[in-house]
Amino acid sequence: MKVVSKSLKGLRKAKTADDKVKLVREAQVATLNSLKYLPKMFVSLKDGKAKAKATADYRRLVGLSYVKLCELELAFLEGDEEKAGKVTKELKGLKKEGHKAYIED
Ligand code: HEM
């Protein structure tokens, strides 16, 4: 998560399309690696079925984020800043959804 966040924040300063693509690829790898872990709050889920459902939904959201990061890479490769802006907004929506559901306050 920290790597995803750091890579995406770096995009604001990145000058060339190559630099942007490199950062987005780092975020993609970090996103896939996050599938090896489950959110901390899952330890409090005692019901097996509830835990299985939350796990499947967590993986669904991480998967959607990965897809969006691939779309963002494509947008940079195509030099399409408008598309990049649209996809970045969608990624922020997924982040909000994931954090709301899977981070305990
Ligand atoms: C662009 C997308 C995202 C960004 C930039 C982002 C960024 C972050 C950051 C900076 C943290 C705190 C540092 C850390 O614990 O490593 C964090 C924590 C966390 N994020 Fe995200 N996040 C994103 C998407 C998501 C999605 C889609 C999910 C759920 C499917 C998610 C679930 C979590 C959870 C569960 C934590 C707390 C760690 C834990 O409980 O194990 N995030 N995220």
Side-chain angles (χ1 to χ4, degrees), residues 34-39 42 52-65 102:
S34 73
L35 287 172
K36 291 181 205 149
Y37 311 96
L38 291 175
F42 280 24
K53 274 184 77 178
T55 301
D57 187 60
Y58 167 75
R59 292 190 176 135
R60 179 186 70 84
L61 274 174
V62 173
L64 287 173
S65 303
Y102 299 118

Coordinates of all heavy atoms in Angstrom, one line a residue, residues 34-39 42 52-65 102:
S34 N -0.1 -7.2 -2.6 CA -1.0 -7.0 -1.5 C -2.0 -8.2 -1.4 O -2.7 -8.3 -0.4 CB -1.7 -5.6 -1.5 OG -2.6 -5.6 -2.5
L35 N -2.1 -8.9 -2.5 CA -3.0 -10.1 -2.5 C -2.5 -11.2 -1.6 O -3.2 -12.1 -1.2 CB -3.2 -10.7 -3.9 CG -4.1 -9.8 -4.8 CD1 -4.1 -10.4 -6.2 CD2 -5.5 -9.8 -4.3
K36 N -1.2 -11.1 -1.2 CA -0.6 -12.1 -0.3 C -1.0 -11.9 1.1 O -0.7 -12.7 2.0 CB 1.0 -12.1 -0.4 CG 1.5 -12.5 -1.7 CD 3.0 -12.4 -1.7 CE 3.6 -12.3 -3.1 NZ 4.9 -11.5 -3.1
Y37 N -1.6 -10.7 1.4 CA -1.9 -10.4 2.8 C -3.4 -10.1 2.8 O -4.1 -9.9 1.8 CB -1.2 -9.1 3.2 CG 0.3 -9.2 3.0 CD1 0.8 -8.6 1.8 CD2 1.1 -9.8 3.9 CE1 2.2 -8.7 1.6 CE2 2.5 -9.9 3.6 CZ 3.0 -9.3 2.4 OH 4.3 -9.4 2.2
L38 N -3.9 -10.1 4.1 CA -5.3 -9.8 4.3 C -5.4 -8.6 5.2 O -4.4 -8.4 6.0 CB -6.1 -10.9 4.9 CG -6.3 -12.1 4.0 CD1 -7.0 -13.3 4.7 CD2 -7.2 -11.8 2.7
P39 N -6.4 -7.7 5.2 CA -6.5 -6.6 6.1 C -6.4 -7.0 7.5 O -6.9 -8.1 7.9 CB -7.9 -6.0 5.7 CG -8.1 -6.4 4.3 CD -7.5 -7.8 4.2
F42 N -9.4 -8.3 9.6 CA -10.0 -9.6 9.4 C -9.8 -10.5 10.6 O -10.5 -11.5 10.8 CB -9.4 -10.3 8.2 CG -10.0 -9.8 6.9 CD1 -10.6 -8.5 6.8 CD2 -10.0 -10.6 5.7 CE1 -11.2 -8.1 5.6 CE2 -10.6 -10.1 4.5 CZ -11.2 -8.9 4.5
A52 N -14.9 -15.5 4.7 CA -14.7 -15.9 3.3 C -15.2 -14.9 2.4 O -14.6 -14.6 1.3 CB -15.4 -17.3 3.1
K53 N -16.4 -14.3 2.7 CA -17.0 -13.3 1.8 C -16.1 -12.0 1.8 O -15.9 -11.5 0.7 CB -18.4 -13.0 2.3 CG -19.4 -13.9 1.7 CD -20.8 -13.5 2.1 CE -21.3 -12.3 1.3 NZ -22.7 -11.9 1.7
A54 N -15.7 -11.6 3.0 CA -14.8 -10.4 3.0 C -13.5 -10.6 2.3 O -13.0 -9.7 1.6 CB -14.6 -10.0 4.5
T55 N -13.0 -11.8 2.4 CA -11.7 -12.1 1.7 C -11.9 -12.0 0.1 O -11.1 -11.4 -0.6 CB -11.2 -13.5 2.0 OG1 -11.0 -13.6 3.5 CG2 -9.9 -13.9 1.3
A56 N -13.0 -12.6 -0.3 CA -13.3 -12.6 -1.8 C -13.5 -11.2 -2.3 O -13.1 -10.8 -3.3 CB -14.5 -13.5 -2.1
D57 N -14.2 -10.4 -1.4 CA -14.5 -9.0 -1.8 C -13.3 -8.1 -1.8 O -13.1 -7.3 -2.7 CB -15.6 -8.4 -0.9 CG -16.0 -7.0 -1.4 OD1 -16.5 -6.9 -2.6 OD2 -15.8 -6.0 -0.7
Y58 N -12.4 -8.4 -0.8 CA -11.1 -7.7 -0.7 C -10.3 -7.9 -2.0 O -9.8 -7.0 -2.7 CB -10.3 -8.1 0.5 CG -8.9 -7.7 0.6 CD1 -8.6 -6.4 0.8 CD2 -7.9 -8.6 0.3 CE1 -7.2 -6.0 0.8 CE2 -6.6 -8.2 0.3 CZ -6.2 -6.9 0.5 OH -4.9 -6.5 0.5
R59 N -10.2 -9.2 -2.4 CA -9.5 -9.6 -3.6 C -10.1 -9.0 -4.9 O -9.4 -8.6 -5.8 CB -9.4 -11.1 -3.7 CG -8.5 -11.6 -2.6 CD -8.1 -13.1 -2.8 NE -7.2 -13.5 -1.7 CZ -7.3 -14.6 -1.0 NH1 -8.3 -15.5 -1.3 NH2 -6.5 -14.9 0.0
R60 N -11.4 -8.9 -4.9 CA -12.1 -8.3 -6.0 C -11.7 -6.9 -6.2 O -11.4 -6.4 -7.3 CB -13.7 -8.4 -5.8 CG -14.5 -7.8 -6.9 CD -16.0 -7.8 -6.4 NE -16.3 -6.8 -5.4 CZ -16.5 -5.5 -5.5 NH1 -16.5 -5.0 -6.7 NH2 -16.7 -4.8 -4.5
L61 N -11.7 -6.1 -5.0 CA -11.3 -4.7 -5.1 C -9.9 -4.5 -5.5 O -9.6 -3.6 -6.2 CB -11.6 -4.1 -3.7 CG -13.0 -3.5 -3.5 CD1 -13.2 -3.1 -2.1 CD2 -13.4 -2.4 -4.5
V62 N -9.0 -5.4 -5.0 CA -7.6 -5.2 -5.3 C -7.4 -5.5 -6.8 O -6.7 -4.8 -7.5 CB -6.7 -6.2 -4.5 CG1 -5.3 -6.2 -5.0 CG2 -6.7 -5.8 -3.0
G63 N -8.2 -6.5 -7.3 CA -8.1 -6.9 -8.7 C -8.6 -5.7 -9.6 O -7.9 -5.4 -10.6
L64 N -9.7 -5.1 -9.2 CA -10.2 -3.9 -10.0 C -9.1 -2.8 -10.0 O -9.0 -2.1 -11.0 CB -11.5 -3.4 -9.4 CG -12.7 -4.3 -9.6 CD1 -13.9 -3.8 -8.8 CD2 -13.1 -4.4 -11.1
S65 N -8.4 -2.6 -8.8 CA -7.4 -1.6 -8.8 C -6.3 -1.9 -9.7 O -5.7 -1.0 -10.4 CB -6.8 -1.5 -7.4 OG -7.9 -1.2 -6.4
Y102 N -12.5 -1.8 4.7 CA -11.5 -2.7 5.3 C -10.4 -2.1 6.2 O -9.5 -2.7 6.6 CB -10.8 -3.5 4.2 CG -11.9 -4.4 3.5 CD1 -12.1 -4.2 2.1 CD2 -12.6 -5.3 4.2 CE1 -13.1 -5.0 1.5 CE2 -13.6 -6.0 3.6 CZ -13.9 -5.9 2.2 OH -14.9 -6.6 1.6

